[in-house]
Amino acid sequence: MDKLPRGQGMLNPTKKRISVDERRASRRPFEVRAQRTAAFVYCRVSDNKSVKSDLSIPDQERQARARATEQGWDILRVYRELGVSAKTTDRPEFQKMIKEALGSHHPVQKIIVHSISRFARNVEDYNRITNQLYDQGVEIVSLTQQFSNDTGGFIAETTSAVFDEYHSRRTSTDVTRTMTAMAKEGYAVGGAQPLGYKLEPDSINPRRKRIVIDIAEKPLVERIFRLALHGDGFGPPKGVKAIVDLLNKEGHRTRAGSRFSSNALHGILTNSIYMGLKIYNANPKTKRWSPAPAERVEIPVPAIITPEEFGELQKLLQSKDPRKGTARVVSSPLLLAGIAYCKCGASMTLRTGTGASKSVYRYYHCGRVSRQGKHDCSGPSVAEGQLDSIVAESVISQVLQVERLREILGLMKEKLALEALENKERVQELKQKLQISERAFKNLIETVASSETLATQPILIAKLNETEMEMTRTRNALKSMLAHGNNDIEVSDYRVQLFSSLLSERLRDPNKLRMKSYLMSIIARVEVGEKYVRVVGRLADLKSGILEESQDANEDSDRSSVRRYKRNWCS
């Protein structure tokens, strides 16, 4: 056998080995894969009616997808902005889109919009953001507008942005002027009304609406303010958190059917609408290009509480902790501590002085004058014993006389009878309304369950949610009214006479601490001027107070004991 030359018929150690896959790949034809253009789609509507109709957003998206298919672009994501204006860039979906488009991985090259007005309605914002996008290789594509890539296209695009901003500002000015005119005429200017109020068409112009009291929610609102002003009858006025806990424990719910929160309740207690004053444009801010300055308009509405009660409540809320303050007031040696106020509204405090004979003089003095001097108030001063005696004897002679008590109870009896009749009618109305709501809700549920197609219809789902909320509101209102019925116990002459003698005796008690607890249960405020003293009390719960005192007396209770803090039955 002939030998092969050296190096033939054997592996060459210096030659690179080629794998099977590499050999197969080497036989494939040469290919060049072009990178496809990626795009985002941004759809926006600012009108809530457009959101409810659910027509505009799908149409914008459909046109954008058609353009992308025509151009061979890949749509990575669709951003939908519902019911948001383009006056600013403070839009959640818009911010997310811009942040991702400007990301370091450069995901897209196009952003498709129906028109540049959907993207922005402010020239400054539009130019700033489009320049940032252009620097990253991202182009804004308008489906309804074509701009050439030259100086003329720049002018056309900028002009379109200017006209979009002009249209937005003009619309804003017209709407503001119209709403201001409506507010001046006493009409509602839109927005959800707070608990206890609703909108009704005007009798003369049904296209306009006025704010009226919601009879079904009024008892709950009155209870909230009563708790904040006077407490529950067994202690001082309750704070926001305590009221929230009590309402939720009793099963009360908001208009939406949820539990009460501290923020929501604080908003109710500080809303001036409850004293009969609805504020439109509460913090007016005049815009630079506005033809007329912004106006603050006060719309008169039916009141649920008096302005005096609302003002007193605001003072309570402004204090750091009214419940802790009450404890200090009760333990203070001053008889009128916590209820004596100067004519300027400041609390009266104790001041002392020493006379020529080294005797100490004690008198009530304006607290504001003590802190700031006589700038805003003349600072009336009254001797402690003199003011204490005037207040106590005035209550005994003008409130606790038997004939006066009978007169007050007679008036209260008529009022309670009228309220009981009205409440009975309201309960019947609420029961009928609840039956109608439950029947409508049941019918809608059956309709939705009958077809899978109907279960996805936005209009039907919105109607179902609206009916459920109305049913919940009516049920809560009915529960609240049934839980607070009127006390039909008759107050006899014996109880009235006993109450008069007991309280008159206790208000002459030499022990000021014991005397003070009963005095504060009758009067709520003493206003002191240079030439007058005004004593104010609340009489809403006087009937239950008389019953309680007479019951304690029949049980041979210790008359020298200090009465618990209860002042909400004084007028």
Side-chain angles (χ1 to χ4, degrees):
M1 185 174 181
D2 297 336
K3 292 184 178 180
L4 293 174
R6 185 178 178 84
Q8 296 182 11
M10 63 181 67
L11 295 175
N12 187 352
T14 61
K15 189 175 181 179
K16 181 180 179 182
R17 299 183 63 181
I18 301 175
S19 67
V20 176
D21 292 336
E22 289 175 334
R23 290 173 185 171
R24 291 176 180 173
S26 65
R27 294 195 293 267
R28 294 174 185 168
F30 181 76
E31 295 178 354
V32 176
R33 181 178 295 273
Q35 184 180 2
R36 291 176 62 87
T37 300
F40 286 157
V41 176
Y42 180 72
C43 308
R44 183 189 65 82
V45 291
S46 58
D47 190 356
N48 289 328
K49 293 182 180 179
S50 300
V51 176
K52 292 180 180 179
S53 65
D54 196 25
L55 297 175
S56 179
I57 291 290
D59 183 62
Q60 294 179 44
E61 184 177 342
R62 179 185 58 79
Q63 294 186 45
R65 290 187 180 277
R67 173 66 66 86
T69 302
E70 177 186 337
Q71 298 294 331
W73 301 337
D74 294 330
I75 295 179
L76 297 187
R77 190 172 292 106
V78 178
Y79 294 88
R80 303 173 184 87
E81 206 86 64
L82 306 179
V84 182
S85 172
K87 292 180 181 179
T88 68
T89 59
D90 188 17
R91 293 168 266 158
E93 292 298 311
F94 182 84
Q95 291 291 345
K96 287 167 56 178
M97 179 186 67
I98 297 300
K99 182 178 180 180
E100 186 166 354
L102 296 176
S104 58
H105 56 292
H106 305 294
V108 294
Q109 294 77 46
K110 308 286 184 182
I111 294 180
I112 307 174
V113 295
H114 183 267
S115 63
I116 62 175
S117 64
R118 302 292 176 179
F119 188 82
R121 281 187 176 272
N122 181 285
V123 177
E124 182 180 354
D125 292 339
Y126 180 79
N127 289 334
R128 173 173 52 82
I129 297 175
T130 53
N131 287 335
Q132 292 176 357
L133 293 170
Y134 180 79
D135 292 340
Q136 297 295 325
V138 183
E139 178 188 1
I140 303 296
V141 178
S142 172
L143 298 175
T144 57
Q145 298 157 304
Q146 298 290 334
F147 304 109
S148 59
N149 192 22
D150 55 15
T151 305
F154 164 74
I155 295 175
E157 184 178 3
T158 305
T159 303
S160 296
V162 169
F163 272 99
D164 287 337
E165 182 172 355
Y166 163 77
H167 177 73
S168 176
R169 290 181 180 272
R170 180 61 183 270
T171 302
S172 176
T173 300
D174 292 342
V175 170
T176 301
R177 183 176 63 251
T178 302
M179 295 179 70
T180 301
M182 290 173 54
K184 289 182 177 180
E185 294 177 6
Y187 294 119
V189 291
Q193 302 306 312
L195 186 72
Y197 288 92
K198 63 180 181 179
L199 298 179
E200 281 190 357
D202 184 57
S203 57
I204 300 177
N205 185 0
R207 296 181 59 187
R208 303 298 184 195
K209 295 183 178 181
R210 294 190 182 275
I211 303 174
V212 299
I213 293 177
D214 190 331
I215 301 300
E217 296 176 347
K218 181 182 178 182
L220 178 57
V221 174
E222 291 177 331
R223 175 165 169 75
I224 290 173
F225 278 97
R226 187 164 58 248
L227 290 170
L229 278 168
H230 318 310
D232 58 358
F234 300 97
K238 288 186 174 294
V240 173
K241 186 64 170 61
I243 298 176
V244 168
D245 292 341
L246 180 60
L247 294 179
N248 290 333
K249 182 179 179 181
E250 293 178 350
H252 295 289
R253 295 294 181 264
T254 64
R255 182 175 291 170
S258 59
R259 294 180 180 274
F260 279 91
S261 65
S262 298
N263 289 339
L265 192 74
H266 187 269
I268 292 175
L269 296 177
T270 56
N271 195 337
S272 63
I273 191 174
Y274 294 103
M275 70 170 184
L277 198 61
K278 171 72 173 180
I279 307 298
Y280 168 68
N281 202 13
N283 300 306
K285 183 178 180 181
T286 302
K287 300 178 182 178
R288 180 182 179 186
W289 302 111
S290 178
E295 294 185 62
R296 182 179 186 272
V297 182
E298 297 180 352
I299 307 174
V301 298
I304 293 182
I305 64 171
T306 65
E308 291 76 17
E309 289 175 323
F310 186 80
E312 181 180 349
L313 177 58
Q314 302 317 300
K315 293 179 181 179
L316 285 175
L317 294 176
Q318 290 171 5
S319 61
K320 293 182 178 180
D321 191 343
R323 288 168 291 181
K324 292 181 180 180
T326 300
R328 292 194 299 268
V329 165
V330 172
S331 60
S332 171
L334 278 179
L335 178 64
L336 303 179
I339 58 175
Y341 294 88
C342 176
K343 62 178 184 179
C344 69
S347 298
M348 300 289 285
T349 58
L350 177 67
R351 296 193 69 178
T352 59
T354 305
S357 59
K358 303 299 181 180
S359 56
V360 178
Y361 298 94
R362 297 165 57 91
Y363 54 94
Y364 291 94
H365 187 68
C366 175
R368 177 176 297 173
V369 173
S370 300
R371 296 188 304 270
Q372 304 174 1
K374 293 186 177 182
H375 300 291
D376 300 323
C377 179
S378 58
S381 298
V382 184
E384 178 190 13
Q386 182 181 5
L387 185 59
D388 291 349
S389 176
I390 290 174
V391 172
E393 292 301 325
S394 298
V395 171
I396 294 173
S397 62
Q398 299 185 33
V399 177
L400 296 180
Q401 294 300 312
V402 175
E403 294 300 324
R404 175 59 175 163
L405 290 174
R406 288 173 179 167
E407 179 185 353
I408 293 173
L409 290 174
L411 295 175
M412 290 185 63
K413 185 176 181 179
E414 296 178 2
K415 182 179 179 180
L416 291 174
L418 182 60
E419 288 181 354
L421 182 60
E422 292 177 352
N423 289 342
K424 186 177 180 180
E425 295 176 354
R426 292 176 189 172
V427 168
Q428 293 300 325
E429 292 177 358
L430 289 174
K431 288 182 178 179
Q432 295 176 1
K433 188 176 180 180
L434 181 59
Q435 291 177 356
I436 296 173
S437 299
E438 290 176 341
R439 192 180 304 115
F441 184 74
K442 181 180 178 181
N443 293 337
L444 285 172
I445 289 291
E446 293 176 351
T447 303
V448 171
S450 64
S451 172
E452 294 182 359
T453 305
L454 292 176
T456 59
Q457 292 297 320
I459 297 179
L460 188 59
I461 294 175
K463 185 64 177 177
L464 186 64
N465 292 334
E466 181 182 348
T467 305
E468 184 179 12
M469 289 179 61
E470 180 66 24
M471 184 174 61
T472 302
R473 287 180 54 200
T474 306
R475 186 180 291 117
N476 290 338
L478 181 60
K479 182 179 179 180
S480 176
M481 294 196 67
L482 293 176
H484 299 90
N486 289 320
N487 187 359
D488 57 355
I489 301 177
E490 187 68 26
V491 179
S492 63
D493 288 343
Y494 167 75
R495 293 178 183 269
V496 174
Q497 293 176 5
L498 182 61
F499 179 79
S500 174
S501 61
L502 288 177
L503 266 292
S504 298
E505 176 184 348
R506 290 166 182 172
L507 291 186
R508 293 190 175 101
D509 194 320
N511 187 322
K512 281 194 174 182
L513 285 177
R514 287 200 298 263
M515 176 183 176
K516 180 178 183 176
S517 63
Y518 289 98
L519 184 65
M520 293 182 69
S521 71
I522 297 175
I523 63 176
R525 185 182 181 89
V526 177
E527 184 178 324
V528 182
E530 284 88 350
K531 298 182 178 180
Y532 71 92
V533 175
R534 181 180 293 115
V535 180
V536 181
R538 301 180 181 86
L539 302 173
D541 293 332
L542 180 59
K543 180 178 180 180
S544 59
I546 294 176
L547 293 172
E548 180 182 335
E549 291 297 337
S550 60
Q551 182 179 359
D552 291 343
N554 291 334
E555 294 175 356
D556 296 329
S557 60
D558 184 8
R559 295 189 182 184
S560 63
S561 62
V562 178
R563 191 177 189 273
R564 66 189 172 195
Y565 185 90
K566 178 179 179 180
R567 50 177 272 191
N568 71 318
W569 58 267
C570 313
S571 174

